[in-house]
Amino acid sequence: MDFNVKKLASDAGVFFTRAVQFTEEKLGQAEKTELDPHLENLIARADCTKNWTEKILRQTEVLLQPNPSARIEEFIYDKLEKKLPSRTTNGELLGQYMLEAASDFGAETPYGSTLITVGEYQKRLGTAEREFLQTSATMFLTPLRNFLEGDWRTISKERRLLENRRLDLDICKARLKKAKQSEAKAALLSEEVDKAEHELRVAQTEFDRQAEVTRLLLEGISSTHLNHQRCLQDFAEAQATFYAQCHHYMHELQRELGRSANAVSAQHQSAACPDPVSATFASGPHSPGTAVPAASGDKPRTLAMEQTQVPITGTRKAKVLYDYDAHDSSELSLLADELITVYTVPGMDPDWLVGERGNEKGKVPVTYLELLS
């Protein structure tokens, strides 16, 4: 192995001298050249930027990928500069399991058809999540990593070089001071003082030049802030799009499940309850509010609900027991636990009442209501 012994010895000597100077400064035994206040403020601002960028980056990674093993895998692939294989999201995997289960239970069965409906929407949610993760990685995480691994490394390198130049300057100042003290005692030739002054001028020039380079780099932190601000806006927009998609899919899923439940309920009611009024009184007396047995697959029906099969006069308050989506403009959508006003009109189907909520009016199914006295 070929190396320059003199250069190695010289570098070791410089390192040792700087270490001595640094130690004496920490112990208060040597003077330290202070940086320009503006430069000190830039350094403090840069350190703050670096620290918070690291924290935000780490926490965003945890938010987007809670699995530590998956994060480690992504880190390794990134360091190897290889593309990470496309990973199936948990939502997509859940949807796939539901679809496979439906094929075993039978797609024509109520449970199987529901599994298919929910499974399809879970896969849509999983796909939306995967697109959100990819967008966030490109638009937000990558720029933050680029700053920490690119610009910040350059700044750190120049700052270390500035610190070395400062130590060299202070070493030269100390040497000149000792030389002048020795000259005053006539123990040192003037040539040694001239040499010390020359070394000081060179060290001062190098320090000033390095301070200017470092200052220019640190002033670029303002541009970094602007870039990160745009990245934050892109990240928030991607989040808004993702959550809007999730809300849309879940609303559609609820409507699909509601339609299926209404269809099944209507089939059971027509098959098991041809005469609700006679069925109510044929079952014997019940105390107010107690549940009346329903056909298999029906929602539980209270006595108050059964009694509404008999036409009521005037208006009454009713509590909604289940969510209901209107099928057309003549019906009124309902939300569980809300209170509405109901009444009947001559010739109206006994299974329905007219419901009012503020300025909204429409037909509502009796089986979804509990009449209040």
Side-chain angles (χ1 to χ4, degrees):
M1 181 175 172
D2 186 22
F3 58 92
N4 192 321
V5 178
K6 291 184 177 180
K7 185 177 183 303
L8 183 63
S10 175
D11 291 343
V14 170
F15 176 80
F16 178 75
T17 306
R18 289 172 178 169
V20 171
Q21 176 68 24
F22 180 81
T23 303
E24 291 180 347
E25 288 176 356
K26 290 297 182 181
L27 297 175
Q29 299 175 353
E31 296 181 1
K32 176 182 177 181
T33 299
E34 298 297 335
L35 300 178
D36 179 79
H38 176 61
L39 184 56
E40 290 282 9
N41 290 334
L42 289 176
I43 291 175
R45 187 164 176 254
D47 287 336
C48 185
T49 301
K50 179 255 186 182
N51 292 335
W52 282 113
T53 300
E54 285 182 332
K55 291 180 180 179
I56 292 173
L57 176 63
R58 284 197 299 267
Q59 192 57 38
T60 304
E61 290 174 334
V62 173
L63 173 68
L64 299 178
Q65 180 52 266
N67 187 343
S69 300
R71 292 202 302 275
I72 293 174
E73 182 182 0
E74 291 175 357
F75 176 79
I76 294 174
Y77 271 92
D78 182 63
K79 291 301 179 184
L80 295 176
E81 297 182 351
K82 292 186 177 181
K83 184 178 180 181
L84 182 69
S86 180
R87 181 184 292 111
T88 302
T89 63
N90 292 327
E92 290 174 313
L93 190 59
L94 174 60
Q96 185 61 38
Y97 286 165
M98 288 183 174
L99 294 178
E100 293 175 0
S103 65
D104 284 345
F105 291 121
E108 69 284 352
T109 64
Y111 182 38
S113 62
T114 303
L115 280 171
I116 292 175
T117 301
V118 177
E120 289 291 348
Y121 278 95
Q122 291 299 325
K123 292 187 70 174
R124 294 184 189 180
L125 290 170
T127 301
E129 180 185 4
R130 178 154 43 82
E131 293 174 353
F132 167 60
L133 294 177
Q134 292 173 349
T135 302
S136 299
T138 303
M139 307 293 289
F140 187 60
L141 297 181
T142 299
L144 265 60
R145 289 197 190 98
N146 289 343
F147 165 72
L148 293 173
E149 298 176 3
D151 294 349
W152 182 253
R153 287 186 178 180
T154 302
I155 291 174
S156 299
K157 177 182 177 182
E158 297 300 328
R159 282 178 59 181
R160 288 193 298 270
L161 188 56
L162 176 63
E163 178 66 8
N164 290 337
R165 293 289 180 263
R166 186 197 62 76
L167 290 171
D168 293 341
L169 176 62
D170 289 339
I171 290 170
C172 290
K173 287 181 179 179
R175 286 175 179 171
L176 179 60
K177 184 177 180 180
K178 291 180 181 179
K180 288 185 175 180
Q181 290 175 349
S182 298
E183 182 187 39
K185 296 178 181 179
L188 192 68
L189 298 176
S190 59
E191 290 82 5
E192 294 297 331
V193 176
D194 292 340
K195 179 181 178 182
E197 290 177 343
H198 174 71
E199 291 177 349
L200 177 59
R201 287 193 297 270
V202 172
Q204 184 70 56
T205 300
E206 291 180 349
F207 171 76
D208 292 341
R209 183 186 300 113
Q210 186 58 39
E212 181 64 15
V213 171
T214 305
R215 181 186 65 80
L216 292 174
L217 285 173
L218 293 173
E219 287 178 345
I221 291 293
S222 297
S223 298
T224 299
H225 286 186
L226 290 175
N227 183 42
H228 288 183
Q229 179 183 350
R230 288 190 293 269
C231 294
L232 276 172
Q233 292 171 343
D234 293 338
F235 178 60
E237 184 176 346
Q239 274 187 311
T241 301
F242 170 60
Y243 292 136
Q245 286 179 314
C246 292
H247 179 268
H248 174 70
Y249 289 147
M250 292 309 300
H251 184 67
E252 284 189 345
L253 176 58
Q254 285 182 314
R255 292 181 65 88
E256 291 286 342
L257 295 177
R259 292 193 190 99
S260 300
N262 291 339
V264 172
S265 178
Q267 291 175 358
H268 282 293
Q269 287 177 7
S270 61
C273 303
D275 189 355
V277 176
S278 59
T280 299
F281 292 99
S283 60
H286 295 273
S287 59
T290 57
V292 177
S296 176
D298 269 352
K299 297 183 175 70
R301 298 160 65 93
T302 65
L303 177 61
M305 293 164 54
E306 297 290 354
Q307 289 174 335
T308 56
Q309 303 297 334
V310 180
I312 63 175
T313 59
T315 61
R316 295 178 64 176
K317 290 291 185 181
K319 179 182 178 182
V320 178
L321 299 176
Y322 318 104
D323 290 345
Y324 177 75
D325 291 327
H327 294 152
D328 53 53
S329 59
S330 66
E331 297 180 8
L332 180 67
S333 294
L334 303 174
L335 294 175
D337 297 328
E338 71 171 330
L339 296 179
I340 62 173
T341 302
V342 296
Y343 59 90
T344 187
V345 294
M348 189 173 184
D349 188 334
D351 287 336
W352 295 81
L353 293 173
V354 178
E356 288 187 355
R357 184 201 305 110
N359 296 327
E360 297 178 300
K361 181 191 297 185
K363 295 191 303 180
V364 294
V366 173
T367 54
Y368 282 68
L369 304 174
E370 178 182 357
L371 293 180
L372 304 177
S373 57

